[in-house]
């Protein structure tokens, strides 16, 4: 069996230290992974993994060149469904929101492990998504995040088929819609709906590291705050309550209070990302707005940040309304434009321990981390879920200059396959 050389993971995720004992891992799981990887069909799959990489580059290029802007993933979904089915899966279908779903039946009583990569990119319609090759790298928007994740799913499905691995639990292959931005995880939200297909555990494939195991969901809540008032002429109506002036106070008070929240407790961040409104330099605006992003791995921290924002708006409006000479008072509206829950899968959880043991088996030093991915929803629902890397090396995620290169790309496929099979159980 080919054992990979050590690969350094590069990523923008937050590293979170686990206790030395826990990261050492559970001796039982280390032994279980050793038994699993001694089985002939698993040895065969691990040996085949590097051979699949050169051929799957064509899949990566083809899928990358099918644009998949937020809310417009349908064309890529239908091609990905065909590709999944061609790996030997009985049937790949597209659900009501556009997720691609293919089930590989296990021998058991219906437990299901889902493996998920997202179909959508952050790039709007009209972006040139032609793949260009320069110096061993493939350049194109979305090629790594997360199109390579989709290709990893294809290669895992191929290995299961070719090595004839029979699992106890069903495996659900999912190409999800709406992972990025205002998609707000709508694909996985639909998948995990009440009355949806059974999902007991989830492995999301996203991010670039071969050694990182994301067991913490970095949650975010996003608001658009709109301040409205009568509006009028800058000279003739001077003295009206001005929503743009109030918005400046909101930003100031929020920044002061939110900084205190971030400086105490779990890691958190906040950002006033966009502001706007008004019609002319010589008009008192009738409307001014801001879009604000609040994040933490701890839901209580996100609540505190939201409270800081609401208090800042109350105080700013109060002051601005009191300062006016005439006209109606200002009014504030909060619109929730994004909500990704946060949470943590405890280190003792079997899926996390299996991922630690597999990562060490591959000769890598595992790290735990936090990120915002499709796994946020199952984690917040209390389901065991982790995120593993997509393989290879890359850079420039969410930028037009995004690139990906196939360096040791099979390692991530081997890792995902082993964790998936360990979690699903192999039929004796
Ligand atoms: Zn992604």
């Amino acid at each position: 069996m080919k054992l990979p050389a050590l690969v350094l993971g590069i990523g923008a995720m937050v590293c979170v230290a686990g206790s030395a004992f826990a990261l050492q891992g559970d001796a039982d799981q280390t032994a279980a992974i050793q038994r699993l990887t001694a089985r002939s069909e698993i040895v065969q799959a691990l040996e085949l993994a590097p051979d699949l990489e050169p051929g799957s580059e064509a899949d990566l290029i083809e899928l990358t060149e099918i644009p998949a802007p937020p809310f417009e993933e349908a064309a890529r979904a239908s091609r990905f469904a065909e590709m999944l089915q061609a790996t030997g899966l009985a049937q790949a279908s597209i659900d009501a929101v556009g997720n691609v779903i293919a089930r590989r039946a296990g021998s058991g009583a219906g437990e299901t492990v889902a493996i998920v990569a997202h179909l959508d990119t952050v790039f709007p319609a009209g972006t040139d998504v032609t793949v260009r090759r320069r110096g061993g790298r493939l350049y194109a928007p979305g090629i790594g995040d997360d199109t390579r994740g989709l290709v990893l799913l294809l290669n895992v499905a191929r290995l299961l088929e070719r090595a004839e691995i029979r699992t106890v639990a069903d495996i659900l292959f999912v190409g999800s819609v709406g992972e990025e931005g205002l998609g707000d995880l709508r694909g996985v939200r639909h998948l995990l709906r009440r009355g949806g297909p059974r999902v007991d555990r989830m492995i999301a494939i996203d991010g670039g590291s071969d050694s990182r195991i994301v067991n913490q969901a970095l949650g975010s809540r996003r608001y658009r705050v709109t301040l409205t008032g009568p509006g009028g002429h800058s000279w003739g109506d001077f003295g009206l309550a001005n929503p743009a002036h109030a918005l400046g106070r909101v930003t100031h008070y929020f920044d002061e209070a939110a900084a205190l929240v971030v400086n105490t407790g779990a890691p958190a961040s906040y950002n006033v990302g966009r502001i706007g409104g008004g019609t002319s330099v010589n008009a008192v605006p009738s409307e001014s707005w801001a879009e604000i992003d609040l994040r933490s791995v701890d839901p209580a921290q996100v609540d505190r940040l939201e409270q800081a924002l609401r208090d800042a708006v109350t105080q700013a409006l109060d002051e601005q309304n009191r300062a006016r000479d005439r006209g109606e008072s200002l009014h504030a509206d909060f619109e929730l434009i994004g909500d990704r829950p946060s949470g943590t899968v405890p280190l003792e959880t079997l899926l996390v321990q299996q991922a630690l043991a597999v990562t060490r088996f591959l000769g890598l030093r595992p790290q735990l981390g936090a990120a915002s991915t499709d796994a946020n929803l199952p984690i917040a629902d209390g389901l065991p879920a982790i995120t593993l890397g997509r393989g290879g090396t890359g850079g420039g995620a969410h930028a037009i200059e995004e690139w990906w290169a196939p360096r040791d790309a099979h390692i991530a496929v081997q890792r995902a396959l082993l964790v998936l099979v360990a979690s699903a159980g192999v039929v004796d």
Side-chain angles (χ1 to χ4, degrees):
M1 172 166 42
K2 293 159 195 152
L3 281 183
L6 184 80
V7 173
L8 293 177
I10 301 160
M13 291 181 274
V14 184
C15 286
V16 181
S19 77
F21 169 76
L23 280 182
Q24 249 335 296
D26 178 319
D28 290 353
Q29 280 320 306
T30 305
I33 296 303
Q34 259 149 17
R35 282 196 303 278
L36 177 72
T37 52
R39 296 178 63 110
S40 61
E41 73 272 43
I42 304 293
V43 170
Q44 192 195 347
L46 294 177
E47 283 181 352
L48 268 172
D51 304 343
L52 296 184
E53 288 303 323
S56 62
E57 193 174 279
D59 301 332
L60 178 64
I61 292 171
E62 185 182 349
L63 287 171
T64 302
E65 292 186 340
I66 304 172
F71 302 97
E72 294 174 53
E73 301 99 336
R76 182 178 289 191
S78 76
R79 183 65 187 119
F80 181 60
E82 288 170 5
M83 287 177 170
L84 258 184
Q85 209 159 317
T87 67
L89 289 165
Q91 205 192 357
S93 58
I94 295 178
D95 72 12
V97 298
N99 294 314
V100 176
I101 297 196
R103 181 177 297 274
R104 188 175 190 272
S107 67
E111 271 216 331
T112 299
V113 184
I115 181 166
V116 182
H118 64 87
L119 292 159
D120 56 322
T121 72
V122 295
F123 302 98
T127 304
D128 182 1
V129 289
T130 310
V131 177
R132 294 185 171 82
R133 200 184 295 271
R134 287 205 303 271
R137 294 177 172 185
L138 296 171
Y139 285 82
I143 190 160
D145 183 12
D146 193 24
T147 318
R148 165 62 196 184
L150 298 171
V151 172
L152 181 144
L153 259 57
L154 294 173
N155 284 349
V156 166
R158 287 170 180 138
L159 292 176
L160 289 169
E161 284 309 301
R162 291 194 198 171
E164 297 179 23
I165 296 170
R166 294 178 56 224
T167 58
V168 177
D170 287 8
I171 293 171
L172 205 59
F173 289 87
V174 181
S176 64
V177 295
E179 194 275 340
E180 299 283 7
L182 295 181
D184 204 27
L185 307 182
R186 76 181 196 288
V188 167
R189 215 177 283 279
H190 180 78
L191 181 74
L192 297 180
R193 72 195 182 280
R194 197 183 295 269
R198 175 173 174 173
V199 175
D200 297 274
R201 296 176 286 286
M202 183 185 287
I203 300 165
I205 304 297
D206 209 344
S209 169
D210 287 338
S211 54
R212 190 156 298 152
I213 299 158
V214 175
N215 69 323
Q216 298 191 56
L218 178 60
S220 64
R221 207 172 291 160
R222 292 166 182 169
Y223 279 101
R224 173 185 267 251
V225 176
T226 306
L227 306 181
T228 48
H233 194 278
S234 62
W235 171 258
D237 296 312
F238 183 70
L240 289 176
N242 184 318
H245 297 191
L247 192 60
R249 288 175 197 254
V250 169
T251 304
H252 174 72
Y253 291 133
F254 170 61
D255 187 26
E256 284 195 329
L260 292 178
V261 174
V262 168
N263 290 334
T264 52
S269 72
Y270 60 94
N271 184 53
V272 178
R274 299 209 308 148
I275 58 174
T279 51
S280 167
V281 67
N282 58 348
V284 178
S286 57
E287 179 183 292
S288 295
W289 55 264
E291 289 177 356
I292 299 128
D293 172 77
L294 316 172
R295 296 185 179 221
S296 179
V297 293
D298 177 3
Q301 284 285 74
V302 180
D303 289 343
R304 285 184 203 108
L305 289 171
E306 177 176 339
Q307 196 54 52
L309 177 62
R310 290 185 180 274
D311 291 346
V313 170
T314 304
Q315 186 178 353
L317 282 198
D318 247 32
E319 290 177 2
Q320 210 67 48
N321 284 333
R322 261 189 279 120
R324 78 189 195 278
D325 292 332
R326 62 173 105 166
E328 287 177 18
S329 55
L330 299 175
H331 175 79
D333 253 333
F334 285 77
E335 184 192 355
L336 185 67
I337 56 173
D339 190 12
R340 293 183 172 216
S342 42
T344 299
V345 183
L347 209 47
E348 317 78 72
T349 306
L350 185 55
L351 181 63
V352 177
Q353 288 295 322
Q354 287 165 330
L356 287 168
V358 164
T359 306
R360 280 193 311 272
F361 169 80
L362 291 170
L364 301 164
R365 189 196 300 242
Q367 295 165 279
L368 295 175
S372 183
T373 72
D374 270 337
N376 277 47
L377 282 175
I379 290 174
D381 285 352
L383 285 183
I386 55 174
T387 301
L388 301 175
R390 57 180 84 101
T393 180
H398 293 195
I400 294 291
E401 276 298 288
E402 184 173 356
W403 62 273
W404 185 82
R407 191 181 70 191
D408 291 326
H410 62 279
I411 295 171
V413 177
Q414 291 172 328
R415 189 164 81 127
L417 174 82
L418 287 176
V419 177
L420 180 65
V421 167
S423 183
V426 183
V427 178
D428 279 319

